[in-house]
Amino acid sequence: MKLLSVLKLSTICLGVFIALFTLNSCVTNDEFEDSKRGNFEALWTILDEHYCFFEQKNIDWNEVKERYAKQFDDDMSEKQQFEVMANMLSELKDGHVNLYTSFNMARYWSWHENYPQNYSDSLIRKYLKTDYLIASGMDYTIFDDNIGYLHCSSFQRGIGAGNLDDILFYFQPCKALIIDIRNNGGGALTNAEELAARFTNKELLVGYMQHKTGKGHNDFSEMQVQTLKPGKGIRWQKPVVVLTNRSVYSAANEFVKYMQCCPNVTTVGDRTGGGAGLPFSSELPNGWSIRFSACPMYDKNKQLTEFGIVPEHKVGLTADDFQRGKDTIIEFARSLINAQ
């Protein structure tokens, strides 16, 4: 099988979906009228033909349709229509599934809201103090025990090669590095790849990806290889500890997947939130937009990461440490490093 970089593979996968939806999205406008029931039918059908986790989540989508169809009639208000549609989408239990209107956005956040947060912004500020540095949306400093600390709260902003060179050069005197991505809800896969690529000196197998090939729930391509290539510029050669919690999602979840394949890397914290379905968007007859998971992604052992990634050391933030102004997860990472 031909090896493809994460970036190239993501581009190909998106290209396939663009082609598929170019062919099939007209079904939404031609076969379904712009009425309350017509938009419901269009929404259900788009998900039925293109959503990728029905089998893994044991969802009977036909039963869901039958149950929610009874709640629709043409006399309901627009907001009532939205509420029923949003409730139907929540059956998928997927943070990548959203319905966008001019007045609201349907979302499912229970994937992290129903779990311990294991994160405190006020504690992070204590560790960063006031003289920390900022580059590409990342905060960084050096602790008094000579451990570098990089806080990356999002992959939404571009991460430049020059920024990474400056950051890693600043950390050069450090004996190890802590990368804290807790509460990182994702962003661009390319940014996650750009950062992870600075922690390997050779091309690595990091996982696999599939795309939909038909309308059936199990119509997928063969697994296609994802690889991580070494980044250009300064690369880190010393120990790294990556901190995670349940709010690590989507591209940040992929970052953890990449880093677990890199040498000298340990993960500490809580299971990530997942979000292993590359999202795609379509439109209903009334102009509302729907985003959903359409491209399943796996780790190097071909295990689906939609339901999260377990860290090597499961550690939670304790109430006693919080009262003392200590972050249990950061302190555990420091103890691991200092014990080496």
Side-chain angles (χ1 to χ4, degrees):
M1 184 181 295
K2 184 179 180 181
L3 296 181
L4 299 172
S5 71
V6 175
L7 174 57
K8 290 181 180 177
L9 189 52
S10 300
T11 303
I12 289 173
C13 187
L14 285 172
V16 170
F17 281 115
I18 290 170
L20 284 174
F21 275 80
T22 299
L23 293 174
N24 295 327
S25 63
C26 60
V27 173
T28 301
N29 295 323
D30 293 345
E31 292 192 6
F32 301 102
E33 62 180 15
D34 184 5
S35 64
K36 301 298 192 302
R37 187 165 296 277
N39 281 287
F40 165 75
E41 292 284 346
L43 178 64
W44 183 90
T45 301
I46 290 171
L47 272 297
D48 182 59
E49 295 178 354
H50 302 291
Y51 183 71
C52 65
F53 293 129
F54 286 120
E55 298 297 327
Q56 293 89 340
K57 296 184 177 181
N58 195 29
I59 297 170
D60 186 341
W61 196 232
N62 288 313
E63 184 278 329
V64 171
K65 179 182 181 180
E66 182 178 348
R67 183 152 37 95
Y68 282 89
K70 298 173 183 177
Q71 303 180 43
F72 272 86
D73 64 73
D74 287 333
D75 293 328
M76 68 196 313
S77 69
E78 192 176 54
K79 288 181 172 56
Q80 288 172 326
Q81 175 191 9
F82 173 84
E83 181 180 356
V84 176
M85 286 182 169
N87 290 339
M88 182 180 76
L89 293 176
S90 69
E91 300 278 350
L92 299 173
K93 296 179 171 60
D94 192 324
H96 272 150
V97 175
N98 303 107
L99 181 63
Y100 300 93
T101 73
S102 61
F103 57 85
N104 203 352
M105 179 188 79
R107 66 273 185 188
Y108 180 82
W109 288 344
S110 294
W111 56 268
H112 70 85
E113 289 177 334
N114 293 342
Y115 295 83
Q117 189 173 14
N118 287 317
Y119 179 85
S120 167
D121 187 66
S122 61
L123 287 183
I124 298 300
R125 294 301 141 192
K126 285 187 177 181
Y127 280 84
L128 286 170
K129 299 181 179 177
T130 58
D131 58 346
Y132 63 94
L133 288 74
I134 305 173
S136 288
M138 296 182 288
D139 306 330
Y140 60 106
T141 191
I142 298 176
F143 293 154
D144 56 14
D145 52 0
N146 201 33
I147 296 174
Y149 176 76
L150 178 67
H151 181 254
C152 180
S153 60
S154 174
F155 285 121
Q156 294 283 356
R157 294 183 59 176
I159 297 178
N163 298 121
L164 290 179
D165 283 343
D166 289 340
I167 291 170
L168 293 177
F169 183 78
Y170 174 78
F171 286 139
Q172 189 177 21
C174 299
K175 60 187 175 184
L177 176 61
I178 294 173
I179 302 178
D180 193 344
I181 62 164
R182 288 176 295 171
N183 277 31
N184 185 325
L189 276 175
T190 51
N191 293 329
E193 180 186 11
E194 186 77 28
L195 180 57
R198 295 306 184 101
F199 300 94
T200 179
N201 294 320
K202 64 179 182 179
E203 188 170 318
L204 298 173
L205 168 67
V206 292
Y208 298 86
M209 183 184 294
Q210 290 178 298
H211 60 262
K212 262 321 213 55
T213 57
K215 297 180 179 180
H217 289 185
N218 291 309
D219 291 341
F220 292 102
S221 68
E222 294 295 322
M223 287 191 180
Q224 300 183 42
V225 172
Q226 289 177 288
T227 64
L228 179 68
K229 294 181 178 180
K232 296 179 180 179
I234 298 175
R235 293 198 292 271
W236 186 259
Q237 311 295 327
K238 302 174 189 178
V240 181
V241 179
V242 177
L243 309 187
T244 64
N245 69 348
R246 187 68 187 182
S247 294
V248 171
Y249 196 73
S250 193
N253 191 71
E254 282 289 286
F255 176 76
V256 176
K257 185 178 85 174
Y258 303 159
M259 292 296 286
Q260 285 191 332
C261 299
C262 295
N264 304 317
V265 174
T266 304
T267 50
V268 171
D270 199 3
R271 187 187 192 107
T272 65
L278 195 67
F280 194 84
S281 299
S282 190
E283 189 173 288
L284 304 184
N286 65 356
W288 292 358
S289 296
I290 173 67
R291 184 181 80 145
F292 54 91
S293 298
C295 186
M297 305 171 85
Y298 305 82
D299 66 16
K300 65 179 181 180
N301 298 315
K302 298 185 178 180
Q303 298 299 307
L304 187 70
T305 55
E306 166 66 9
F307 303 105
I309 298 172
V310 179
E312 294 169 67
H313 300 275
K314 193 175 190 310
V315 180
L317 186 63
T318 69
D320 288 343
D321 278 346
F322 180 81
Q323 292 299 323
R324 290 194 294 265
K326 297 292 184 181
D327 187 308
T328 314
I329 300 173
I330 290 179
E331 292 303 326
F332 185 89
R334 294 174 78 171
S335 68
L336 278 181
I337 294 167
N338 289 322
Q340 295 178 357

